[in-house]
Amino acid sequence: DADVTQTPRNRITKTGKRIMLECSQTKGHDRMYWYRQDPGLGLRLIYYSFDVKDINKGEISDGYSVSRQAQAKFSLSLESAIPNQTALYFCATSDWRTSGKDNEQFFGPGTRLTVL
Amino acid sequence: RKEVEQDPGPFNVPEGATVAFNCTYSNSASQSFFWYRQDCRKEPKLLMSVYSSGNEDGRFTAQLNRASQYISLLIRDSKLSDSATYLCVVNRGGNTPLVFGKGTRLSVIA
């Protein structure tokens, strides 16, 4: 079983709809992240959370919100989807115990979102 | 200036070739450095960490030059399976997320 899972894996929706992308992890990590990836733009950080009570904006948080329901779950919402939010979305986790040096991030398989 | 900059490529090389990727970072306080590999439409995965003394893992060698704020990845004897995008990643330390470069795309051709 995958350590970091994302649902759905693919989603097509229409402009103005509310969408939620979900991420779950069994790694026991405290830190979780949401990124989007667009061709030519690389990975861009949307939001991150270092524990259940901690939520931080990344470089492109406008139009998105998140919820950290539990240590193992971190959801990303698009309140009113627009076409330029069409992208590949990745969730990732890391462990604070390695944050000082290694800080390896483990990514989920991604969600391909298309907004028409 | 972007915090982490890479040549986007693509690098198209024949099997067996040696290829090198470079990366520069702007924050001199950055603490640790990595190369991640991302296959097409897949998630990024850690390839190797980069240490000041340089480190080698099979056909892959990573080096760090702190004075020049420069990181490199050398791949020897390229295989078709090395075709991927290679992401340069910087850890600024403290409670900050990793910073990812946009990636360099490599295509190894038979």
Side-chain angles (χ1 to χ4, degrees):
Chain A
D1 287 341
D3 294 322
V4 184
T5 57
Q6 293 183 231
T7 55
R9 294 293 312 280
N10 289 281
R11 181 72 184 266
I12 300 174
T13 191
K14 294 182 179 180
T15 298
K17 294 291 188 181
R18 184 179 187 272
I19 295 295
M20 180 179 285
L21 309 183
E22 300 193 8
C23 177
S24 294
Q25 51 113 347
T26 59
K27 299 187 75 67
H29 289 169
D30 53 329
R31 301 182 170 200
M32 298 187 74
Y33 312 81
W34 274 105
Y35 295 87
R36 67 177 280 176
Q37 189 172 41
D38 301 272
L41 297 179
L43 282 168
R44 291 185 291 167
L45 184 63
I46 306 172
Y47 272 96
Y48 62 101
S49 168
F50 282 172
D51 65 42
V52 174
K53 297 179 182 178
D54 176 76
I55 301 288
N56 303 280
K57 292 183 177 180
E59 62 179 295
I60 54 159
S61 58
D62 287 348
Y64 301 95
S65 62
V66 291
S67 173
R68 186 83 184 266
Q69 302 96 320
Q71 186 189 40
K73 295 184 183 296
F74 193 34
S75 300
L76 176 71
S77 292
L78 288 68
E79 297 300 326
S80 179
I82 56 177
N84 77 1
Q85 291 178 312
T86 293
L88 182 56
Y89 289 84
F90 286 107
C91 172
T93 74
S94 67
D95 185 346
W96 75 270
R97 288 169 292 185
T98 60
S99 63
K101 182 171 176 64
D102 294 322
N103 201 8
E104 180 176 356
Q105 288 189 1
F106 297 83
F107 287 80
T111 295
R112 187 164 296 279
L113 176 66
T114 302
V115 183
L116 301 176
Chain B
R1 181 184 173 190
K2 291 287 186 183
E3 188 163 352
V4 178
E5 295 202 67
Q6 299 181 245
D7 182 341
F11 285 64
N12 299 312
V13 302
E15 277 187 287
T18 295
V19 61
F21 305 139
N22 303 320
C23 168
T24 57
Y25 61 96
S26 61
N27 188 335
S28 60
S30 298
Q31 296 189 359
S32 50
F33 310 87
F34 314 91
W35 285 100
Y36 277 64
R37 170 190 169 131
Q38 185 175 20
D39 294 311
C40 188
R41 299 176 183 267
K42 300 285 190 180
E43 71 272 25
K45 294 182 179 179
L46 178 66
L47 176 66
M48 59 197 304
S49 300
V50 187
Y51 305 122
S52 296
S53 56
N55 51 303
E56 188 173 313
D57 183 2
R59 298 180 293 107
F60 297 81
T61 301
Q63 293 199 310
L64 167 64
N65 183 322
R66 282 191 182 272
S68 301
Q69 295 180 201
Y70 171 97
I71 304 158
S72 66
L73 177 67
L74 182 77
I75 305 175
R76 290 180 300 278
D77 189 22
S78 298
K79 311 293 185 189
L80 294 175
S81 58
D82 294 333
S83 297
T85 297
Y86 291 84
L87 307 175
C88 176
V89 185
V90 171
N91 180 10
R92 292 172 288 179
N95 278 331
T96 59
L98 297 177
V99 181
F100 287 79
K102 293 182 180 180
T104 298
R105 191 154 60 90
L106 170 66
S107 292
V108 180
I109 304 163

